Amino acid sequence: MKIIGHRGAKGLEPENTLRSFKKALEHHVDQLELDLRATRDGVVVVHHDPEVRDPAGNRLTIKAHTLAQLRDHKSDLLTFEELLAAVKPSVHLLVEIKPREPTGQIIAILREQLEHRRSAASLSIGSFDQGILRTMHAAFPDVEMVVIERWSAVRAQWRARQVSTKRLNMRSWWLWSGVLLGLHRGGYQVVPYTMNDPAKARRWQRYLYGVITDRPDLFER
């Protein structure tokens, strides 16, 4: 069962920061999960929410501001290229592209990585946005696509067929053993998010490809 660090080690360090990703690697995760968005000046940054919030409570929408403006309020805002430079190319990255984000610069960065530094086997690309998944599958047919789905196993399988994948990341709240058994029999690789309960993971382990967790320390082997 793969252990995947959610936004690095979200439960141990500030999420989607270099500190968080390094902490996850200290606990020997199999993959790092991260979120991508684009700034107004076209820089791809690692951030989950559409806004950056500073300690004073100010909110800045990422797509409406430049990287420099955003870093005035969040100094540890990480760019995708900085993360790629900081982690070894052997570290498997699960890259989630947020819905309705532009993909052109992400494709350019990943193409450069695949040509000069990384193997296709070291990347997985996921999204809730099916249009983005189709675009990325067309650009990188050798890279694993990941359907990220909140609740519908039926819709997840339909989406997976469109991008030739068996990898499903599904919200753990809606999963139960019957659904997992059916997906397992269909050959799907199911990864619940977010799971911080090792005992529950062990009960489901026969059906799971892995778990996405905020607390990789709890799953350390």
Side-chain angles (χ1 to χ4, degrees):
M1 184 173 68
K2 304 288 186 184
I3 307 303
I4 302 167
H6 188 218
R7 308 176 200 169
K10 180 177 179 287
L12 301 173
E13 294 284 357
E15 65 180 51
N16 279 325
T17 61
L18 197 53
R19 285 168 51 194
S20 187
F21 294 117
K22 288 182 176 179
K23 180 62 69 174
L25 292 172
E26 287 175 12
H27 291 291
H28 309 292
V29 296
D30 298 295
Q31 299 180 13
L32 294 174
E33 187 268 351
L34 59 127
D35 307 289
L36 297 185
R37 294 186 179 275
T39 66
R40 191 183 77 191
D41 52 342
V43 180
V44 181
V45 294
V46 183
H47 202 268
H48 179 269
D49 295 340
E51 298 174 327
V52 162
R53 302 182 188 186
D54 66 16
N58 298 305
R59 300 184 181 188
L60 288 83
T61 303
I62 290 173
K63 67 181 180 181
H65 293 82
T66 66
L67 176 64
Q69 290 169 330
L70 294 166
R71 279 185 165 165
D72 282 342
H73 295 265
K74 182 176 171 55
S75 60
D76 61 355
L77 181 62
L78 186 65
T79 72
F80 187 30
E81 289 180 289
E82 287 169 342
L83 174 61
L84 289 166
V87 299
K88 295 178 180 178
S90 58
V91 173
H92 192 112
L93 300 180
L94 168 54
V95 176
E96 178 182 343
I97 304 172
K98 305 308 287 185
R100 297 177 295 280
E101 289 293 323
T103 58
Q105 186 58 21
I106 297 171
I107 289 172
I109 292 170
L110 290 178
R111 186 164 285 141
E112 174 73 14
Q113 286 283 314
L114 290 169
E115 287 177 358
H116 300 291
R117 192 163 187 262
R118 285 186 164 269
S119 69
S122 72
L123 288 170
S124 301
I125 301 172
S127 188
F128 287 101
D129 187 321
Q130 191 67 2
I132 285 176
L133 272 188
R134 288 196 297 265
T135 296
M136 300 307 288
H137 179 52
F140 304 109
D142 295 329
V143 174
E144 177 184 60
M145 297 294 120
V146 181
V147 169
I148 308 177
E149 182 64 42
R150 289 184 174 85
W151 63 272
S152 174
V154 173
R155 183 170 58 206
Q157 291 172 82
W158 172 79
R159 292 179 59 201
R161 289 191 293 272
Q162 290 189 344
V163 292
S164 303
T165 190
K166 288 289 189 177
R167 176 77 179 270
L168 308 179
N169 289 2
M170 300 189 68
R171 181 169 286 184
S172 61
W173 299 349
W174 304 106
L175 292 174
W176 58 287
S177 56
V179 170
L180 290 170
L181 174 60
L183 291 171
H184 181 70
R185 286 176 172 170
Y188 289 97
Q189 298 174 324
V190 181
V191 178
Y193 70 91
T194 305
M195 184 168 284
N196 300 319
D197 182 350
K200 187 173 185 179
R202 284 193 295 270
R203 289 196 298 272
W204 286 356
Q205 185 168 353
R206 74 185 75 174
Y207 308 128
L208 299 181
Y209 176 74
V211 295
I212 294 174
T213 182
D214 298 331
R215 292 289 307 275
D217 56 313
L218 300 179
F219 292 84
E220 191 167 6
R221 294 180 284 267

